[in-house]
Structure formats: C-alpha cells, structure tokens
C-alpha cells in the first residue's frame, strides 16, 4: 500500500516512476487501494474545480472611495525645506557682510607715511554712505533675522504648547 | 511581460500617486483576495470587508514595499492576517446565506442533476474546510488556485516549502476524513 503522501504526489503529478509503477499494480489488484485512491482523487478534483469567487460589482469603487485622496505630506515637506534653508541664508549673509567689511578695511588701510592728499570726494561720499546707512541697514537686517529665528524657535513653540495645555 | 512584472509597474505608478494604477491593481487581485478570505471565513460579507481592508492597507503601506518579495506574497499575507483576526474576533458561527443548504436547494432547482451533485460536493468541501485551521485553508486555497509556486505559498505563512507540502498533504487527508463524516451523516439523514 502506498502512503498518503505518495498518493497525493501521484495526484499532483510529481510522483517518481517507481511509485507510479506500484500505483498501477495496486490499482489493478487491490480493491481497498482502488477505493481509497478514488476517494482522495475525488477530493483532489473537487478542490481543483472549485471556482474563483467573485466580489460584488461595487467592490473597486468602494475601495477607491475609502482611499484617502489628499497628500498633505507634500505641503509640509515644502515648508520644511524653506525653514531648513533659513540658517544657511542667515550665515551666508553674515559671511558676505564680513568679507565685504574686510575688503573695505584692507582698501582703507592707513600707510605709515603720512601723505597729505586731497580727499577724493567720491570715496568720501561712499564712505559716509557706508558708515551711515549700510551699517545701520546691516544691523537692522541682522536684528530682523534674529527676531524671526527667536519667534520661530522659542516663542511659537512656547505659545503652541501653552495653548495645548490650556485646551 | 509576466504578471509579476505587471504588478511591479503598477506598484511603482501607485507610489508616484497614480490612482488609475491602484484601480487596475484592485481589479487584478480582488477575486483572489476575496476567494482566500471567503474560504477562511465562510461569509461573503466578512470576506468582502477583509479584502477591502487589505487593499486599503496596501495603499497605506505602499512606500514600505521594497520589491524584494513578490507582491502577491506580501498581499496574501495581509489578507490572511486580516482574515485570521476576523475569524478570532467572530467566534460565533455565522453561516453565509448563499452557502447554506437551503439556499443551495433553491438554486439547485434550476440546475441539471450533474450540476446539483457538483454543487453539493463543493458545498460539502466548503463546510469541511471550516474544520481545518486557517493556515491549512490558505495553503489548500492558494495551492489549487495555481497562481503561485509552493515556495511562494510557503512564504506567505513564513514556513519552508517542504513543511508547506507536508501541511497540504495532511490538510487534504483531513478534508477527506471530514467529507467521509459528512456523507455518512447525509446517508443517515436520508434513512
């Protein structure tokens, strides 16, 4: 008599030649085997013939209706990108101002020899403009950037947290 | 282009936000997902809900899919886990109206005797399947749907192909025993 595993291998079409030979012999000579094989074979055939079940007609539409459409992730990522760049903009501006200041300082470096020169009106005007407005503007810009950072990093989180705890 | 490649293309399109690709993916796999869930739960209503949830989970976790495994292996695992949870949740026996003997008797009225016998046998198999574990039902269902290799079927429930083969053999044997019991009861009821 063959084992169940061997019989199922025959039904699945993956039994070796020796098992198949034994099966043919038993099928012709053993009534018990014949009956048992037929039983397993009918189960196998029934399972193989079981149809694929079908969903309701509105299945796809129902799934699509339940699927979220909006993608808020994209918006928040954009905002994050801009705010991430802010320190770089700040430091970039600071470095640019420093470089310009150093260049100007080198340009106006006093020499050891005192030479009386007629003051250049254009340079004098530029120097006045620089000392008056450019420095003031620079300080003002720095202040604005610092305030913006202070507001974003300290004030807003503080009030947001406070609002949550009050709520 | 084979089915696996088609799935990969669809998944990449879904990852880039293409809803038409998602619809196509649903239409490609809905009947298989539903069949697996239905064979485990034996309730059309529950099976449909589970299949829908499985597709929603796919959409939600689409960015975590890394294309290392076959999509169907990942997907059937989602369906199987959801069906298993549902089965544990609703331990009360719920019989599907369409699957009930009364309903099959009504539908059999218009069929030929051969169809009637076939329907009865399939009905008996569905009922016998309820006596098997969810693992066994899944293994048998996927094996006979012939959509996946034994290795892929085994990967769904994270066992080796050899173990899966043994489990399928045992499940079929158990099914045969259940069917024997069923027919004995049928004969008794006729007498």
């Amino acid at each position: 008599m063959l084992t169940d595993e061997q019989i199922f291998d025959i039904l699945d079409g993956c039994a070796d030649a020796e098992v198949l030979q034994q099966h043919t012999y038993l099928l012709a000579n053993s009534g018990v085997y014949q009956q048992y094989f037929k039983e397993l074979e009918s189960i196998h055939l029934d399972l193989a013939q079981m149809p694929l079940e079908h969903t309701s007609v509105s299945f796809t539409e129902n799934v699509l209706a339940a699927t979220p459409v909006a993608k808020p992730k994209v918006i928040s990522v954009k905002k994050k990108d801009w705010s991430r760049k802010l320190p770089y903009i700040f430091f970039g501006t600071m470095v640019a101002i420093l470089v310009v200041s150093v260049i100007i300082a080198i340009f106006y470096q006093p020499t050891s020899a005192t030479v009386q020169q007629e003051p250049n009106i254009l340079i004098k005007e530029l120097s006045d403009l620089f000392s008056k407005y450019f420095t003031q503007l620079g300080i003002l810009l720095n202040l604005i950037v610092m305030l913006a950072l202070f507001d974003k990093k300290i004030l807003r989180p503080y009030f947001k947290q406070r609002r949550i705890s009050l709520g | 282009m084979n089915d696996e490649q088609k799935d990969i293309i669809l998944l990449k399109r879904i990852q880039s936000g293409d809803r038409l690709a998602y619809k196509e993916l649903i239409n490609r796999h809905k009947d298989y997902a539903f069949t697996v869930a239905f064979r485990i739960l034996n309730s059309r209503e529950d099976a449909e809900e589970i299949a829908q949830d499985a597709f929603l989970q796919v959409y939600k976790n689409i960015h975590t899919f890394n294309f290392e495994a076959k999509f169907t292996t990942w997907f059937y695992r989602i369906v199987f886990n959801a069906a298993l949870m549902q089965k544990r949740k609703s331990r009360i026996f719920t019989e599907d109206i369409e699957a009930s003997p009364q309903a099959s008797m009504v539908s059999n009225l218009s069929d030929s005797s051969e169809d009637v016998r076939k329907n009865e046998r399939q009905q008996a198999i569905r009922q016998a399947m309820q006596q098997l574990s969810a693992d066994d039902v899944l293994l048998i269902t996927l094996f006979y749907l012939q959509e996946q290799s034994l290795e892929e079927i085994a990967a769904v429930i994270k066992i080796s192909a050899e173990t899966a083969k043994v489990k399928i053999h045992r499940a079929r044997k158990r099914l045969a025993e259940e069917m024997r019991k069923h027919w004995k009861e049928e004969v008794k009821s006729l007498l």
Side-chain angles (χ1 to χ4, degrees):
Chain A
M1 189 85 167
L2 294 171
T3 63
D4 292 329
E5 279 73 23
Q6 286 170 323
I7 296 173
F8 284 124
D9 279 344
I10 295 165
L11 293 169
D12 295 337
C14 56
D16 55 45
E18 197 186 326
V19 172
L20 281 173
Q21 206 178 354
Q22 232 175 321
H23 163 70
T24 316
Y25 174 79
L26 286 166
L27 213 54
N29 298 298
S30 167
V32 180
Y33 177 79
Q34 200 177 16
Q35 197 186 342
Y36 189 60
F37 179 78
K38 285 257 164 75
E39 193 185 333
L40 294 184
E41 188 187 34
S42 73
I43 295 281
H44 173 77
L45 292 174
D46 285 337
L47 283 168
Q49 282 168 8
M50 273 184 93
L52 190 68
E53 306 290 340
H54 296 288
T55 59
S56 64
V57 185
S58 58
F59 182 87
T60 309
E61 280 67 38
N62 290 344
V63 178
L64 289 172
T67 310
V69 185
K71 281 195 159 186
K73 262 186 188 173
V74 181
I75 299 159
S76 65
V77 165
K78 272 185 183 170
K79 203 178 171 186
K80 218 175 176 180
D81 274 357
W82 182 85
S83 65
R84 213 180 275 166
K85 280 177 188 168
L86 196 66
Y88 296 111
I89 295 167
F90 176 72
F91 286 116
T93 314
M94 291 297 104
V95 168
I97 290 167
L98 187 75
V99 169
V100 170
S101 307
V102 168
I103 290 167
I104 291 168
I106 291 165
F107 186 70
Y108 283 108
Q109 203 175 19
T111 52
S112 54
T114 48
V115 181
Q116 198 72 24
Q117 257 189 340
E118 277 291 307
N120 189 331
I121 299 161
L122 184 69
I123 290 171
K124 196 177 180 300
E125 283 292 316
L126 274 171
S127 174
D128 285 349
L129 191 76
F130 176 74
S131 60
K132 262 188 187 175
Y133 300 110
F134 189 75
T135 313
Q136 281 173 6
L137 198 73
I139 290 166
L140 198 68
L141 273 172
N142 278 346
L143 199 67
I144 291 167
V145 172
M146 276 172 73
L147 278 172
L149 279 172
F150 180 73
D151 175 59
K152 194 177 164 57
K153 299 283 173 192
I154 297 161
L155 290 179
R156 269 192 223 176
Y158 171 74
F159 284 112
K160 201 176 173 184
Q161 198 182 12
R162 206 169 162 211
R163 197 169 55 207
I164 290 163
S165 63
L166 282 171
Chain B
M1 196 190 290
N2 64 24
D3 285 346
E4 196 181 343
Q5 287 167 328
K6 274 181 198 166
D7 282 341
I8 290 170
I9 290 168
L10 286 175
L11 289 167
K12 285 188 175 161
R13 277 172 58 196
I14 298 167
Q15 283 184 340
S16 60
D18 187 347
R19 276 175 79 85
L20 273 175
Y22 181 53
K23 190 178 177 181
E24 207 176 311
L25 189 86
I26 296 170
N27 287 334
R28 273 170 68 81
H29 296 283
K30 64 180 180 182
D31 288 339
Y32 290 100
F34 178 70
T35 303
V36 169
F38 178 58
R39 299 264 167 86
I40 293 171
L41 297 164
N42 202 30
S43 156
R44 284 193 166 270
E45 207 175 284
D46 287 348
E48 186 137 331
E49 204 182 307
I50 292 303
Q52 282 184 10
D53 283 351
F55 279 111
L56 289 175
Q57 277 194 55
V58 165
Y59 190 80
K60 220 192 281 178
N61 300 305
I62 194 82
H63 294 281
T64 63
F65 184 69
N66 54 13
F67 298 96
E68 278 172 17
K70 215 175 152 185
F71 166 71
T72 44
T73 307
W74 181 58
F75 180 57
Y76 286 135
R77 196 180 296 156
I78 294 173
V79 176
F80 173 66
N81 287 337
L84 201 62
M85 273 176 71
Q86 178 66 26
K87 195 171 184 171
R88 282 176 190 154
K89 225 186 332 181
S90 55
R91 286 204 183 269
I92 310 155
F93 178 70
T94 50
E95 192 181 37
D96 188 41
I97 297 167
E98 281 179 47
S100 68
Q102 288 84 356
S104 69
M105 272 174 74
V106 172
S107 67
N108 286 347
L109 289 173
S110 57
D111 294 341
S112 66
S113 61
E114 184 57 41
D115 289 339
V116 172
R117 228 172 292 144
K118 198 176 157 188
N119 284 343
E120 274 175 2
R121 287 192 67 84
Q122 287 184 352
Q123 176 68 30
I125 283 186
R126 274 198 211 105
Q127 280 180 2
M129 271 186 165
Q130 294 308 301
Q131 308 306 316
L132 304 181
S133 71
D135 281 18
D136 290 346
V137 176
L138 178 83
L139 286 169
I140 286 184
T141 306
L142 292 181
F143 183 74
Y144 280 97
L145 283 178
Q146 293 185 335
E147 283 295 305
Q148 291 186 300
S149 68
L150 197 64
E151 284 77 15
E152 286 161 357
I153 293 169
V156 176
I157 51 170
K158 295 178 181 174
I159 54 172
S160 69
E162 204 51 46
T163 313
K165 193 180 170 186
V166 173
K167 274 175 90 79
I168 291 169
H169 283 345
R170 283 183 192 159
R172 284 189 287 193
K173 197 185 167 192
R174 178 99 196 276
L175 207 58
E177 283 162 11
E178 290 296 331
M179 289 288 279
R180 216 175 294 145
K181 267 189 227 170
H182 173 85
W183 295 126
K184 264 183 196 171
E185 277 168 23
E186 284 283 303
V187 171
K188 263 186 202 172
S189 68
L190 285 172
L191 293 170

